[in-house]
Amino acid sequence: IFLQDAILEPFGTHVFGMSQTETSRFQQSWGVGALLGMLIIGMFSSLFRIAKKNLAILGGLTIATSLAIIAIAGLTHQGMLINPALLLLGLGIGSFNIGALSMMMEMTIEGQAGLFMGIWGMAQGLGNGVANILSGALLTLFVESGLLSATVGYSLIFGAEALIMVVAIGILRSVNVQEFKGLTRKEIGTALAMDTAN
């Protein structure tokens, strides 16, 4: 999700020749979409019983689709697709956040909610940092080095992001909340200690 943060505005400038004023609206587009997504999914899930994992999967698929549209827009020079794709990206992020956060809360064990919230926050921060480093490295490798044109390089990066999101959805599908809740505190403590040691 965060891979697009650092490269979205340069993408608009390098591929479409957009001004800084135009590209600065990109974050507003997906930010509004994220708020709308959280609001819509929040209301929808309060009216209908939907598995939290399914909400996260729906959000992930929407994110992957929007990133693929951005990649195609870059390759075909269809700048009019960017803002709708960013709104769709935001809707997907909203759905994913509601589903994943709710699912994480379902997986908490009594007396461990603070620990899980801390882990969630740490994962978000690490994900954001790693994504910014990775997207910058890919941009340098593909575009700034002259290896690929800006059009192809950016589209390849956004396409790779879509593919990574699909892989993440595959991993998410294998998570079983009920099995996780069946773990004892001792087993979780042992797993966390092993992870810390690594």
Side-chain angles (χ1 to χ4, degrees):
I1 293 172
F2 299 122
L3 274 171
Q4 51 84 24
D5 279 357
I7 64 167
L8 199 53
E9 291 186 27
F11 165 70
T13 301
H14 294 148
V15 176
F16 296 104
M18 293 180 176
S19 67
Q20 189 174 1
T21 305
E22 291 173 304
T23 60
S24 65
R25 294 192 191 113
F26 286 173
Q27 189 167 6
Q28 294 170 0
S29 295
W30 72 260
V32 166
L35 289 173
L36 283 174
M38 286 189 280
L39 183 65
I40 292 166
I41 293 296
M43 289 190 316
F44 194 75
S45 63
S46 67
L47 296 173
F48 305 99
R49 282 189 61 84
I50 304 170
K52 306 304 185 254
K53 182 160 76 169
N54 290 339
L55 290 176
I57 289 170
L58 172 66
L61 288 172
T62 305
I63 291 166
T65 301
S66 64
L67 290 168
I69 292 170
I70 293 170
I72 291 166
L75 278 176
T76 59
H77 290 279
Q78 298 292 318
M80 62 191 175
L81 293 176
I82 299 298
N83 281 320
L86 289 175
L87 185 62
L88 186 65
L89 175 68
L91 290 169
I93 290 171
S95 176
F96 184 83
N97 282 343
I98 292 285
L101 186 58
S102 301
M103 186 177 159
M104 191 272 302
M105 292 304 292
E106 283 182 353
M107 294 170 74
T108 59
I109 296 168
E110 189 178 341
Q112 300 292 319
L115 173 66
F116 281 80
M117 290 303 289
I119 291 171
W120 176 262
M122 185 177 71
Q124 288 267 51
L126 284 172
N128 202 340
V130 170
N132 282 318
I133 292 168
L134 182 58
S135 62
L138 290 172
L139 181 60
T140 300
L141 175 66
F142 293 143
V143 179
E144 293 174 355
S145 68
L147 182 65
L148 301 171
S149 69
T151 300
V152 175
Y154 279 104
S155 294
L156 189 61
I157 295 169
F158 285 116
E161 290 178 43
L163 185 61
I164 291 168
M165 194 69 226
V166 170
V167 170
I169 293 164
I171 294 168
L172 179 62
R173 285 174 54 92
S174 69
V175 174
N176 187 313
V177 174
Q178 297 310 316
E179 276 184 28
F180 189 87
K181 287 188 84 158
L183 294 174
T184 65
R185 283 187 189 168
K186 184 177 178 184
E187 288 171 322
I188 291 173
T190 302
L192 287 172
M194 288 173 60
D195 190 48
T196 304
N198 292 333

